[in-house]
Amino acid sequence: MTCKCNNEIELIDLEPVNNILDTYFSENSNLITLLQDVQESYGYLPRMALNRISEVIGIKEAKVYGVATFYSQFRMAPVGKNLIMLCQGTACHVNGSATIEMALKEVLGVEEGKTTADGLFTYINVACLGCCSLAPVMMINDQTYAKLSRDNVKTIIKKIRQEEAQ
């Protein structure tokens, strides 16, 4: 199916969202849980999937979009293979997250919120990762990296690139 959204045509297979709705939908379904499962399936929340959720569960599209855009855990666009989340909480800020951010921008060659040309990395800032005693901190996918410095950020990214090349 296709959807013309923001003057762009989005093509997705709705089978994953339909399977999720078939499996989990009931009168007591939680919209956030449905959105989490859809995002896990697609890697982000495609507009067509959100429209389908709205249609099936009978919640207005505006409410589905409102929930999807309110919570920072949800992504409205595809991300790179490795999602880098850099903590910008107070402890990380005080301990040098600005320096870490500059190192990420330099080694990745992209601004915050963007994906590298090779599709390997997307880098975003987050309010807090809950690892304050380890500040400054970033997560890449499910791996936490703590007590970061400019140099070890560059080493981490280079190592991941080398592993991806093999």
Side-chain angles (χ1 to χ4, degrees):
M1 296 186 86
T2 63
C3 172
K4 188 161 180 148
C5 307
N6 298 329
N7 294 325
E8 294 180 23
I9 295 177
E10 179 183 53
L11 300 170
I12 67 162
D13 176 5
L14 284 176
E15 185 175 348
V17 74
N18 287 332
N19 290 338
I20 290 165
L21 288 163
D22 288 345
T23 302
Y24 298 108
F25 177 65
S26 71
E27 289 181 22
N28 298 322
S29 291
N30 182 314
L31 178 57
I32 292 174
T33 303
L34 289 171
L35 293 174
Q36 288 169 331
D37 290 345
V38 169
Q39 180 168 282
E40 186 174 328
S41 180
Y42 291 97
Y44 73 109
L45 295 174
R47 186 172 184 135
M48 280 186 66
L50 297 179
N51 291 343
R52 182 73 178 139
I53 290 169
S54 168
E55 177 184 303
V56 171
I57 68 175
I59 294 177
K60 291 185 180 195
E61 287 180 30
K63 182 171 182 177
V64 175
Y65 287 108
V67 171
T69 57
F70 177 79
Y71 292 101
S72 61
Q73 68 178 298
F74 296 122
R75 298 179 296 277
M76 303 302 291
V79 294
K81 184 174 182 182
N82 299 285
L83 177 62
I84 302 169
M85 295 181 288
L86 176 63
C87 183
Q88 295 293 351
T90 303
C92 287
H93 175 75
V94 169
N95 285 290
S97 65
T99 300
I100 303 309
E101 183 171 10
M102 288 178 7
L104 278 172
K105 288 179 180 180
E106 185 179 310
V107 73
L108 296 173
V110 296
E111 293 295 315
E112 191 265 336
K114 303 295 181 188
T115 301
T116 56
D118 59 9
L120 282 180
F121 298 97
T122 299
Y123 142 62
I124 60 171
N125 288 320
V126 296
C128 184
L129 290 173
C131 304
C132 301
S133 64
L134 304 173
V137 175
M138 72 177 174
M139 285 185 73
I140 302 178
N141 301 327
D142 294 326
Q143 177 70 43
T144 302
Y145 297 89
K147 304 279 186 189
L148 295 170
S149 70
R150 181 184 229 348
D151 290 337
N152 66 7
V153 165
K154 291 180 178 183
T155 301
I156 291 163
I157 299 301
K158 287 178 185 176
K159 181 180 178 204
I160 292 171
R161 279 198 167 124
Q162 288 171 345
E163 289 170 356
E164 291 292 335
Q166 295 175 351

